[in-house]
Amino acid sequence: MAENRNNETEPTVNEYGEKIAPKGEKKENTAPTETKRYTNYSNNKRYNNQRRPMLPPKGVSPESFDRQQGMTANRPAQRTENSGENRPYEQRRPYKNYNSYNSNGGSKPYYGNRNYSRPYDNNRGYDQSRSYNKPYRAAEQVSDKPAPDTSVFEKTSFEKSYEKPYQRNSYDRRNNRDDNRYQGGRYRYNNQDSQNNSSRQLSAEVVSETPELDTRFSAHTNHRAVKRTPLRIIPLGGLNEIGKNMTVFECGNDMFIVDCGLAFPDSDMPGVDLVIPDFTYVEQNISRVRGIVITHGHEDHIGSLAYLLKKCNIPVYATRLTIGLIEGKLKEHNLMSQAKLNVVTPRQTVKMGCMAVEFIRVNHSIPDAVGLAIHTPAGIVIHTGDFKVDFTPIEGGIIDLARFGELGNRGVLALMSDSTNAERPGHTASERTVGASFEKLFAKAEGKRIIIATFASNIHRIQQIINKAVSSERKVAVFGRSMLNVISTAMELGYLSVPEGVIIDLETMNKYPPEKIVLITTGSQGEPMSALTRMAMNEHRSVTITPMDYIIISANPIPGNEKYVTKVVNELLKAGAEVIYESMYDVHVSGHACQEEIKLIMSLTRPRFFIPVHGEYKHLKKSANLAYAMGIPESNVIIGSIGDVIETDGTTIGITGKVQAGRVLVDGLGVGDVGSIVLRDRKHLAEDGLIVAVATIESESGTILAGPDILSRGFVYVRENEEMMEAARDILRKTLESCLSDGVRDWNSIKSGLRDSLSDYIYMKTKRNPMILPIIEEI
């Protein structure tokens, strides 16, 4: 600030544009005596109760600045003692007054107030070299300070780099009113332009070819687009299908796996028990695999883990309940002695070589479900796992939306989101709505035995069933091997609260009247060997369905299982039982997020790229449409397939290759021995049946000693088609004699001739193509 000094070089106008009286003249003071603040003193010093006036910020005229302070330009001295305590201009701008009153009413130096080490000298004028942006940047550093880390693992160098707040160059919107683009991590000023305040032009580090998409999406993402070490995301399952979820993350010389699940066989897989991913790529790179991360304990995420650990002994990281369920599966395969199981908690971070995995609590239909924040050199990738947003969960806390938001503020490279319910609008209902429905249904079932079929892993629902059984003074019996295993594990680990004496053995169930019993069983999907299906078919050795049964199917049919569920319901109704299975009774809520919840995660994380996962193609496409609606460009959304190598370097993303992937069929103890050829033969047998043609030939002379004889299985009933079978024998005999007379001794050629001749005749008579197996015995 300029002051009036008695010297020759005194300027005639001060910094406020006010005229200064020349030497020898006295400037007229129009301010009242009691509020004088700008009086010159002979000793050129200020008293403690005097304050320096604020200078206007750059680009603001003194008159406008004074009006914002509640003064007029020609009366700068009309300020009250309390005017500095409530100044509207200072409240909405980060610039602070040079002096502010302390508690004693005295002056407090500005630099002391901001904790600067160098005190302000009252005898020295304002230093013009000090920028107004310094206190603004200091405040920005404080506000951008990352949340305290809760990891018990050592952090990598790139992870520590994320904690450093990104220093954006100051942006003066007053000088760039025509440019409304987002000033986030994607843009920076050129060095030359930043030095020249009069001319500032934005230089985009990465922009797409369509300007309108840049403008739309630049306000959505907070990711800093800088080229870094490439990250490869390789889905080995879970895309374009339901189940079999498995994804490989690869960066540099390090790899780790997310989930290792199974799928159940389709109707075109006769005789197949389970379907697991193809582990070939993992086996080929086993030396680079640092571990397996499991998001939750459902079969489609842990079911094939035992088959992988038989080939590769890899450390496994999961939450407490998930580890407990994994232990049960490993015991069945005798792998507990060699397995490396590690229990983690939400907000904990695990190192995976040059990458790190942070666990984030989410809500699902099973407790202890987590999403993942994968910190990589290319950026942060968020994998939601299976999730929904439930603000009133039965057990545990709500989804950690705050952490998703913190990561979004830091900058998210890519979001991999659950797409199972992407077709459903709105929000997924809370699990507590099912409890309210049970309350009403238990009241309606008074005097009857209650049988409830649900998913074995839905511990939240089992807890509510037990609570209602206790309140209605009923005992609980459990049916189904998987149901017994899950309930015992959950009780042992404290995830299921059951009063003593409520759960009874099957042997003691008959000691109680039916109206005092609740049966919890498997079979909500109509599985042929499940307990409920055997009850419906009257094949269960302990339970017989009667008109005194009140049956609740607390699940929605998985796509493809509708006809099996309908068959079970029909049989239960024929037995006279009352069956509740319609969705109108609210006996089931999904564990997956609907459209509005997916949008919520997108808005919190603000990813640069979006990769929908967990669903058939229609689900992935619908999830991608939600991303487009949220402002993510179509070029930044990747709908992949199993085996695709999705690669990103922090600026671009694309499918750059393919690895061996697919499905491996498990039949009994055989893993992979049932391939496409075996499945083709099984379907062939199921559709058209089998014909076996047997003949005996003397090796030296080549004469036919016996046959050809024909055996039929699944083709026609021989006794009712003897004429056709006799004609088929004659055709085989003529074909065999013709081959032998021509000197053909290659049995494969003879078998091929027999097969072709018989197949042509059978098709001409029946228009069917049974499987034909010629067998030649040589003596």
Side-chain angles (χ1 to χ4, degrees):
M1 190 188 87
E3 296 184 13
N4 295 332
R5 295 182 177 88
N6 298 325
N7 52 48
E8 295 290 337
T9 61
E10 186 83 356
T12 59
V13 178
N14 65 8
E15 294 182 7
Y16 291 95
E18 300 172 338
K19 222 177 199 184
I20 299 177
K23 187 175 180 181
E25 268 183 62
K26 237 184 192 181
K27 183 177 177 182
E28 183 180 357
N29 193 348
T30 58
T33 307
E34 63 275 11
T35 59
K36 258 189 211 180
R37 294 185 180 276
Y38 298 88
T39 307
N40 293 329
Y41 296 94
S42 58
N43 57 3
N44 197 22
K45 292 184 178 179
R46 298 181 184 275
Y47 291 100
N48 287 337
N49 61 351
Q50 291 178 339
R51 302 167 48 187
R52 289 182 178 274
M54 288 183 60
L55 290 178
K58 295 179 181 180
V60 179
S61 64
E63 290 79 12
S64 175
F65 179 73
D66 288 339
R67 283 195 300 272
Q68 291 170 350
Q69 297 294 330
M71 309 184 309
T72 59
N74 57 352
R75 299 187 66 185
Q78 287 185 345
R79 302 183 185 180
T80 63
E81 291 294 327
N82 296 327
S83 62
E85 299 178 3
N86 186 18
R87 295 187 179 181
Y89 184 81
E90 293 179 13
Q91 288 178 359
R92 62 175 180 267
R93 290 188 180 272
Y95 308 115
K96 303 295 183 181
N97 192 7
Y98 298 112
N99 292 316
S100 59
Y101 285 103
N102 56 21
S103 59
N104 298 325
S107 62
K108 190 174 183 180
Y110 171 70
Y111 288 99
N113 190 29
R114 299 297 294 177
N115 296 326
Y116 279 77
S117 61
R118 185 172 64 179
Y120 187 82
D121 187 0
N122 285 333
N123 294 327
R124 185 176 59 190
Y126 173 68
D127 187 358
Q128 295 291 343
S129 65
R130 300 190 181 185
S131 172
Y132 283 90
N133 289 330
K134 284 188 177 178
Y136 178 77
R137 291 190 178 183
E140 186 181 32
Q141 292 177 3
V142 174
S143 62
D144 287 348
K145 184 178 179 181
D149 185 80
T150 58
S151 170
V152 298
F153 293 84
E154 182 183 356
K155 297 181 183 178
T156 57
S157 58
F158 71 87
E159 190 177 4
K160 293 179 181 178
S161 67
Y162 287 134
E163 298 183 356
K164 299 177 183 178
Y166 177 63
Q167 296 295 331
R168 301 185 180 94
N169 292 310
S170 60
Y171 177 66
D172 191 355
R173 191 169 291 276
R174 294 188 300 273
N175 297 332
N176 297 273
R177 295 184 184 277
D178 294 334
D179 194 342
N180 293 323
R181 287 181 288 180
Y182 170 67
Q183 302 303 309
R186 294 184 65 210
Y187 296 101
R188 60 175 173 82
Y189 291 117
N190 287 332
N191 293 333
Q192 296 178 353
D193 294 336
S194 63
Q195 297 173 3
N196 184 6
N197 293 331
S198 62
S199 173
R200 292 183 178 179
Q201 296 179 355
L202 288 173
S203 172
E205 294 185 23
V206 176
V207 293
S208 63
E209 297 178 1
T210 309
E212 56 270 18
L213 289 182
D214 279 344
T215 304
R216 177 184 68 168
F217 184 60
S218 60
H220 181 83
T221 182
N222 196 32
H223 172 72
R224 288 168 21 184
V226 179
K227 284 190 176 182
R228 300 187 178 95
T229 305
L231 168 70
R232 287 171 290 278
I233 304 172
I234 307 172
L236 299 181
L239 296 185
N240 301 313
E241 63 183 356
I242 299 295
K244 200 160 62 70
N245 299 291
M246 184 176 182
T247 307
V248 173
F249 289 82
E250 179 180 348
C251 186
N253 198 38
D254 300 304
M255 295 170 51
F256 73 93
I257 302 168
V258 173
D259 291 330
C260 191
L262 57 78
F264 293 101
D266 299 329
S267 58
D268 60 346
M269 301 178 186
V272 176
D273 297 326
L274 303 172
V275 183
I276 63 176
D278 188 347
F279 302 137
T280 302
Y281 184 72
V282 176
E283 294 177 41
Q284 293 172 349
N285 298 273
I286 187 60
S287 61
R288 302 166 56 198
V289 179
R290 307 301 175 222
I292 305 175
V293 177
I294 306 296
T295 57
H296 61 282
H298 279 158
E299 290 287 334
D300 58 335
H301 293 260
I302 67 171
S304 62
L305 186 59
Y307 298 97
L308 177 60
L309 294 182
K310 285 180 180 179
K311 301 179 179 181
C312 315
N313 192 10
I314 308 171
V316 180
Y317 301 88
T319 52
R320 187 182 177 194
L321 177 62
T322 306
I323 290 293
L325 298 175
I326 292 173
E327 286 179 347
K329 292 191 167 296
L330 297 184
K331 288 177 182 177
E332 297 177 1
H333 294 265
N334 298 320
L335 295 175
M336 274 302 297
S337 59
Q338 65 187 53
K340 304 173 183 177
L341 305 180
N342 302 275
V343 177
V344 297
T345 58
R347 290 288 185 113
Q348 186 174 341
T349 303
V350 177
K351 289 177 59 178
M352 295 290 177
C354 69
M355 297 173 283
V357 180
E358 177 185 354
F359 297 84
I360 305 174
R361 180 189 298 276
V362 298
N363 298 128
H364 192 40
S365 55
I366 188 173
D368 263 7
V370 292
L372 308 173
I374 303 166
H375 301 265
T376 74
I380 300 176
V381 177
I382 290 182
H383 190 297
T384 64
D386 288 355
F387 83 101
K388 72 174 184 178
V389 179
D390 192 346
F391 295 113
T392 56
I394 302 300
E395 184 273 337
I398 65 172
I399 180 173
D400 195 351
L401 296 177
R403 185 55 183 160
F404 284 112
E406 291 173 1
L407 294 169
N409 291 333
R410 178 180 295 183
V412 172
L413 172 64
L415 171 65
M416 304 175 68
S417 178
D418 176 18
S419 305
T420 307
N421 274 356
E423 295 180 307
R424 299 185 183 181
H427 299 265
T428 304
S430 173
E431 182 67 30
R432 291 191 182 273
T433 60
V434 179
S437 298
F438 283 159
E439 190 78 36
K440 301 175 183 177
L441 295 176
F442 270 59
K444 289 183 180 180
E446 186 175 357
K448 295 184 177 182
R449 181 174 61 179
I450 298 177
I451 301 175
I452 302 178
T454 186
F455 292 111
S457 59
N458 200 332
I459 298 175
H460 293 152
R461 194 157 303 165
I462 295 172
Q463 181 67 72
Q464 294 187 96
I465 295 172
I466 292 174
N467 293 342
K468 297 301 179 291
V470 172
S471 62
S472 59
E473 298 181 352
R474 292 174 180 258
K475 300 295 182 179
V476 177
V478 181
F479 287 86
R481 184 175 60 89
S482 60
M483 183 72 74
L484 286 169
N485 293 338
V486 172
I487 289 180
S488 60
T489 301
M491 292 177 61
E492 180 182 351
L493 298 177
Y495 289 89
L496 194 62
S497 177
V498 182
E500 187 176 356
V502 172
I503 294 182
I504 59 176
D505 297 331
L506 302 182
E507 291 76 12
T508 60
M509 184 180 63
N510 295 329
K511 298 180 181 179
Y512 296 89
E515 63 272 12
K516 293 296 182 181
I517 295 294
V518 175
L519 301 183
I520 304 177
T521 181
T522 57
S524 61
Q525 297 303 309
E527 301 93 328
M529 297 304 295
S530 65
L532 183 64
T533 301
R534 288 185 281 122
M535 293 177 192
M537 302 302 172
N538 198 22
E539 297 174 355
H540 201 281
R541 58 189 179 92
S542 301
V543 180
T544 302
I545 302 299
T546 68
M548 295 303 294
D549 287 325
Y550 193 87
I551 302 174
I552 303 171
I553 300 179
S554 182
N556 287 338
I558 296 174
N561 291 348
E562 293 87 354
K563 62 180 181 180
Y564 301 112
V565 176
T566 300
K567 180 181 179 181
V568 170
V569 171
N570 289 334
E571 295 299 324
L572 293 172
L573 292 173
K574 289 178 182 178
E578 185 175 355
V579 184
I580 305 298
Y581 61 93
E582 300 91 341
S583 58
M584 58 180 289
Y585 290 99
D586 291 331
V587 293
H588 175 71
V589 295
S590 176
H592 300 271
C594 290
Q595 292 182 358
E596 297 304 318
E597 293 155 286
I598 297 175
K599 290 179 183 179
L600 175 61
I601 293 297
M602 289 183 187
S603 63
L604 287 174
T605 57
R606 293 178 289 166
R608 178 173 179 81
F609 304 115
F610 180 69
I611 306 173
V613 294
H614 298 180
E616 299 174 357
Y617 184 81
K618 63 176 183 176
H619 303 129
L620 304 181
K621 185 64 177 178
K622 197 68 177 180
S623 188
N625 292 337
L626 296 178
Y628 304 152
M630 293 295 293
I632 302 180
E634 188 171 350
S635 59
N636 288 16
V637 178
I638 298 294
I639 301 178
S641 299
I642 295 176
D644 286 344
V645 179
I646 304 172
E647 185 170 332
T648 176
D649 58 1
T651 62
T652 59
I653 193 170
I655 299 175
T656 60
K658 196 90 173 176
V659 303
Q660 181 175 341
R663 63 187 186 184
V664 174
L665 307 181
V666 179
D667 187 359
L669 297 178
V671 180
D673 53 355
V674 177
S676 58
I677 296 177
V678 175
L679 279 182
R680 183 194 64 188
D681 291 343
R682 288 182 179 182
K683 289 194 290 184
H684 194 180
L685 290 170
E687 292 171 357
D688 298 312
L690 170 69
I691 292 179
V692 180
V694 183
T696 304
I697 301 175
E698 186 180 18
S699 59
E700 294 182 0
S701 62
T703 58
I704 301 175
L705 300 180
D709 293 326
I710 295 178
L711 301 175
S712 173
R713 292 293 181 270
F715 172 55
V716 292
Y717 188 51
V718 176
R719 292 184 180 180
E720 295 179 356
N721 295 273
E722 291 182 357
E723 183 179 351
M724 184 180 66
M725 289 299 175
E726 187 62 32
R729 291 190 190 95
D730 292 339
I731 292 174
L732 290 175
R733 186 179 297 107
K734 292 178 181 179
T735 303
L736 185 58
E737 290 175 350
S738 175
C739 292
L740 294 175
S741 63
D742 293 340
V744 178
R745 291 293 185 268
D746 182 9
W747 301 127
N748 290 330
S749 299
I750 296 175
K751 290 179 180 179
S752 179
L754 294 174
R755 186 183 300 109
D756 293 341
S757 60
L758 182 59
S759 177
D760 293 340
Y761 173 76
I762 294 294
Y763 185 79
M764 180 184 67
K765 286 292 186 180
T766 64
K767 302 299 179 184
R768 292 156 65 183
N769 287 307
M771 180 180 290
I772 299 175
L773 294 179
I775 299 176
I776 299 178
E777 296 180 355
E778 185 180 11
I779 298 177

